[in-house]
Amino acid sequence: MAQDCAPFGVYSWNNVAFQIDGRQVIGLWEGDDVLSIEPSTELGTPVIGADGSSIVSITADQSAKLTVKLMPTSPFNAYLNNKVRKMRAGGLASSITFPVGFIDMSTGESGACTQAIVTKIPDVSKGANATERVWEIFCPCWVPSEVQIGQA
């Protein structure tokens, strides 16, 4: 007799490739949120009229904020600090922006941006233990992949 079982899946960060400027990011901090991607605005803004009719205005904004948590020893801290130095020195967009992207080979989910820019440098604290370096990166046009669930 066949038994119906719930779907089974496996996740591992080892199946995620995250790159900045074409290089695999190494020296990521611990935890479940070393990389987070947050759209800058809601996809749509609903309005309900006095008579109960409604409309949703869909935004054209495709920007997103990426938050990346690195170890203090990650070589990407130096890379991003160098971009910030160029930015503060009046560097042109071509010298201060960089591509970012990821793919999760377990799910097929991915996303990319060709002209990302640092918008927040990490706070730095020193003490008995190492502390994370949290970078915020702005992507004016974040392009997520299509994630297909089930069969068509």
Side-chain angles (χ1 to χ4, degrees), residues 10 18 24 44 48 55-56 59 64-66 75-78 87 95 99 114 121 125 127 135 142 146 149:
V10 174
F18 172 49
Q24 182 73 19
I48 308 299
I55 189 169
V56 176
T59 184
K65 175 179 76 171
L66 274 64
F76 284 88
N77 289 308
M87 186 186 318
S95 70
T114 58
I121 60 175
S125 60
W135 292 89
W142 178 255
E146 293 183 17
I149 305 296

Side-chain angles (χ1 to χ4, degrees), residues 105-119:
M105 289 157 290
S106 298
T107 64
E109 181 179 22
S110 65
C113 171
T114 58
Q115 291 186 310
I117 190 167
V118 174
T119 54

Side-chain angles (χ1 to χ4, degrees), residues 53-147:
S53 59
S54 61
I55 189 169
V56 176
S57 298
I58 306 298
T59 184
D61 183 353
Q62 295 180 39
S63 65
K65 175 179 76 171
L66 274 64
T67 303
V68 181
K69 296 180 180 179
L70 299 175
M71 291 188 178
T73 54
S74 172
F76 284 88
N77 289 308
Y79 174 85
L80 294 170
N81 273 319
N82 188 41
K83 291 292 185 181
V84 170
R85 275 193 283 289
K86 288 179 181 179
M87 186 186 318
R88 289 190 170 151
L92 299 175
S94 61
S95 70
I96 62 175
T97 62
F98 48 92
V100 296
F102 85 96
I103 183 167
D104 181 340
M105 289 157 290
S106 298
T107 64
E109 181 179 22
S110 65
C113 171
T114 58
Q115 291 186 310
I117 190 167
V118 174
T119 54
K120 185 174 185 301
I121 60 175
D123 295 336
V124 176
S125 60
K126 302 290 184 176
N129 294 302
T131 58
E132 65 190 2
R133 302 294 188 262
V134 181
W135 292 89
E136 289 184 9
I137 297 170
F138 175 73
C139 292
C141 185
W142 178 255
V143 181
S145 72
E146 293 183 17
V147 178

